[in-house]
Amino acid sequence: MGKILSETNSTGVDVLLEMSGNPTAIQQGFKALRAGGRASLLGIPTENVPLDLVNDVIFKGATVQGIYGRRMYETWVQMTALLKAGRLNLEPLFGERVMLEQFEDAFAKLQGGLAGKILLYPDGLPQ
């Protein structure tokens, strides 16, 4: 949270795109959201998520949108345009890259909490 605030001059982020459904990530995302920001929730939590509605939604004037697939193609086109324009650096999201043959080890790491996201390559690792 401190890094986000320092990078945004204590303003917070304009948009929260929460895709994990992890309760802590959802709470942290709302804390990082700026006043008047927009939260798009795509992840499906497996448990109830307590939120500070007063401070993190109401007083911020946040717009909260739940997305469950109807807007998938619209958001896919928007994300593709952002990626092609080079405006997003996704490298920090992926901790590991492994060959598809190593998927069992990769899933074991994910299930054990030792990794967040792993890219699997079906034709070997890129050079």
Side-chain angles (χ1 to χ4, degrees), residues 31-94:
K31 294 279 183 229
L33 191 64
R34 72 163 174 81
R38 186 180 82 223
S40 295
L41 307 176
L42 296 97
I44 308 297
T46 58
E47 59 191 83
N48 288 332
V49 180
L51 291 176
D52 183 349
L53 288 176
V54 172
N55 293 307
D56 293 338
V57 178
I58 298 168
F59 286 171
K60 284 186 177 182
T63 299
V64 180
Q65 176 184 37
I67 299 176
Y68 64 92
R70 289 186 348 184
R71 296 188 62 193
M72 180 179 74
Y73 297 105
E74 178 185 340
T75 55
W76 188 274
V77 170
Q78 291 171 345
M79 182 58 72
T80 301
L82 287 171
L83 289 170
K84 285 182 177 179
R87 299 198 46 201
L88 294 177
N89 177 15
L90 301 180
E91 285 300 315
L93 297 177
F94 302 101

